[in-house]
Amino acid sequence: MAAASQTRVAHLLRQLQRAACQCPTHSHTYSQAPGLSPSGKTTDYAFEMAVSNIRYGPGVTKEVGMDLKNMGAKNVCLMTDKNLAHLPPVQVAMDSLVKNGIPFTVYDNVRVEPTDASFMEAIEFAQKGAFDAYVAVGGGSTMDTCKAANLYTSSPHSDFLDYVSAPIGKGKPVSVPLKPLIAVPTTAGTGSETTGVAIFDYEHLKVKTGIASRAIKPTLGLIDPLHTLHMPARVVANSGFDVLCHALESYTALPYHLRSPCPSNPITRPAYQGSNPISDIWAVHALRIVAKYLKRAVRNPDDLEARSHMHLASAFAGIGFGNAGVHLCHGMSYPISGLVKTYKAKDYNVDHPLVPHGLSVVLTSPAVFTFTAQMFPERHLETAEILGADTRTARIQDAGPVLADTLRKFLFDLDVDDGLAAVGYSKADIPALVKGTLPQGRVTKLAPRPQSEEDLTALFEASMKLY
């Protein structure tokens, strides 16, 4: 029995090592061999909290011109997308810049769900403009695009892949100073105003990857709940599912002190470090807000109280996952988004097929948390209770099914598509979905339970139909 178990472990390690060299995305240089830190430990012994400054309040966008004036900005780039360019959030920001005498140029060509090509187009625009500050008005796509433009304009001799997570890119630490970036989120989902992560589709491989460094986090996030009143219902729902999974995944992630390797230098400690006592607080609080307000925010576009709370929950969850990380729901979501065929989500005004990020993340959540619950089942039961489950008679070994059933009911109540089959996938697509997940080591290795190709196959199969 012991020999069989050792063979199985050796086989899993070989699989993970193979995955780590088949041009994976979303992976820091991650060694199966233990590396010794200054403390002599092979797993980490510390965690670090990094978060943008945050200002919250209805109408706070009107202050952006004053902030830039206080920073001494003389030539500002305002980034947004074509849908938002003519809506009040952008107009309010521009009026504030004009009122405070700040010269600015608008870049409104941000792509919803950005690609390496759309990132590079924005970078080229920023490099030509010689800007000394940036403002991003929009959802995660806009904020992430603006982070990338700021980074590569501040490091003009770098190749695009230098800062992209290894081994798709080189995963180099960012050591150059960046320009000030003020983020004005208009959706309640990504929490990108708080994090040092910028995600994009790497078109050549049809997978998502990203840049992850504390250095690229915004200088300031202006969270103005009035902007959420412009979000259509399905955008509110899908953005909210991203908050839900950020909170659930960061709270159930591998604890930071079990993550390896231990960095030999603090600059190489990853942004996503594993669950930790500070991130836990933010994740649980965000989850409580989602449980109380998401359904209201979706169902009533004029419910400013609900939408305001979800806007804050997005930032709270961002602080949590921006330092703890996410795991399997996100790792599996990247090929779900990247391999989309013809599905176009309702309420999204885009000219290309799109499975919105939050939807691609939440569709696997019942299967994922059934799988992970054998590790830290108490946390899985606790989150199920927060989301409305009666856990008084639940047994600890039932934590996974209890949380999965709670999630299914939550999604059903919000009219979510019935699994991966409803967004265009079939069992024949599972090998490609698994292949697209294997490279996502930066997040999948934070799952509390290791997973094989067979495990991933079973998780995708279980996610084909939800109800």
Side-chain angles (χ1 to χ4, degrees), residues 23-69:
C23 53
T25 58
H26 256 99
S27 173
H28 285 279
T29 355
Y30 189 106
S31 171
Q32 291 296 331
L36 291 178
S37 71
S39 68
K41 287 182 59 110
T42 56
T43 54
D44 213 337
Y45 63 98
F47 68 93
E48 181 172 336
M49 290 301 293
V51 65
S52 308
N53 288 339
I54 295 297
R55 186 183 305 144
Y56 172 88
V60 78
T61 307
K62 291 182 290 192
E63 298 183 355
V64 68
M66 288 183 274
D67 286 314
L68 290 162
K69 193 171 186 177

Side-chain angles (χ1 to χ4, degrees), residues 422-466:
V423 298
Y425 290 104
S426 70
K427 285 194 174 182
D429 297 307
I430 290 177
L433 292 167
V434 171
K435 185 181 177 185
T437 305
L438 286 174
Q440 312 294 347
R442 186 172 72 90
V443 291
T444 59
K445 285 182 176 116
L446 286 172
R449 181 180 169 189
Q451 62 287 159
S452 65
E453 288 186 46
E454 292 83 2
D455 291 330
L456 292 172
T457 297
L459 289 171
F460 279 116
E461 282 180 0
S463 303
M464 283 291 161
K465 190 169 173 59
L466 291 179

Side-chain angles (χ1 to χ4, degrees), residues 267-289:
I267 199 172
T268 62
R269 180 168 282 117
Y272 287 0
Q273 303 160 91
S275 61
N276 61 77
I278 300 178
S279 286
D280 286 350
I281 293 168
W282 295 99
V284 168
H285 191 57
L287 199 61
R288 292 189 191 283
I289 297 173

Side-chain angles (χ1 to χ4, degrees), residues 94-304:
M94 291 195 298
D95 288 348
S96 180
L97 296 178
V98 170
K99 183 178 178 182
N100 288 278
I102 305 292
F104 67 95
T105 306
V106 174
Y107 179 82
D108 65 0
N109 209 30
V110 168
R111 188 182 195 271
V112 177
E113 302 295 340
T115 64
D116 50 330
S118 75
F119 264 19
M120 286 191 272
E121 191 178 324
I123 291 163
E124 185 181 351
F125 178 89
Q127 287 175 337
K128 287 177 180 172
F131 302 110
D132 61 2
Y134 295 84
V135 176
V137 184
S141 297
T142 296
M143 291 184 275
D144 288 3
T145 300
C146 201
K147 290 175 190 176
N150 189 10
L151 171 60
Y152 288 98
T153 305
S154 302
S155 185
H157 302 298
S158 295
D159 180 75
F160 180 70
L161 290 176
D162 280 354
Y163 297 118
V164 174
S165 297
I168 273 276
K170 296 175 184 174
K172 288 184 177 179
V174 177
S175 55
V176 295
L178 272 64
K179 305 296 185 190
L181 191 166
I182 299 177
V184 185
T186 58
T187 61
T190 67
S192 190
E193 69 276 8
T194 71
T195 73
V197 179
I199 302 297
F200 65 93
D201 281 304
Y202 191 63
E203 291 184 296
H204 176 62
L205 296 174
K206 291 192 180 301
V207 288
K208 279 193 189 296
T209 181
I211 302 158
S213 169
R214 295 176 186 86
I216 69 170
K217 71 182 187 299
T219 314
L220 173 65
L222 294 179
I223 302 176
D224 187 338
L226 297 180
H227 298 334
T228 63
L229 297 176
H230 303 282
M231 295 166 64
R234 294 326 296 173
V235 177
V236 175
N238 292 326
S239 302
F241 298 146
D242 203 17
V243 179
L244 170 68
C245 289
H246 284 157
L248 285 172
E249 290 172 71
S250 60
Y251 192 56
T252 58
L254 188 75
Y256 76 95
H257 57 84
L258 297 181
R259 195 199 76 254
S260 63
C262 188
S264 56
N265 186 310
I267 199 172
T268 62
R269 180 168 282 117
Y272 287 0
Q273 303 160 91
S275 61
N276 61 77
I278 300 178
S279 286
D280 286 350
I281 293 168
W282 295 99
V284 168
H285 191 57
L287 199 61
R288 292 189 191 283
I289 297 173
V290 170
K292 185 173 182 179
Y293 289 107
L294 179 55
K295 290 178 185 177
R296 275 176 52 183
V298 173
R299 290 168 180 161
N300 183 0
D302 298 320
D303 190 337
L304 182 60

Side-chain angles (χ1 to χ4, degrees), residues 21 58 152 309 337 357 360 390 392:
C21 62
Y152 288 98
H309 277 90
S337 291
H357 173 65
S360 72
D390 183 352
R392 287 173 296 182

Side-chain angles (χ1 to χ4, degrees), residues 13 22 73 77 90 143 168 198 202 225 268 274 310 313 326 364 392 410 439:
L13 284 174
Q22 291 172 350
C77 176
V90 172
M143 291 184 275
I168 273 276
Y202 191 63
T268 62
M310 282 304 302
V326 286
T364 62
R392 287 173 296 182
F410 197 83

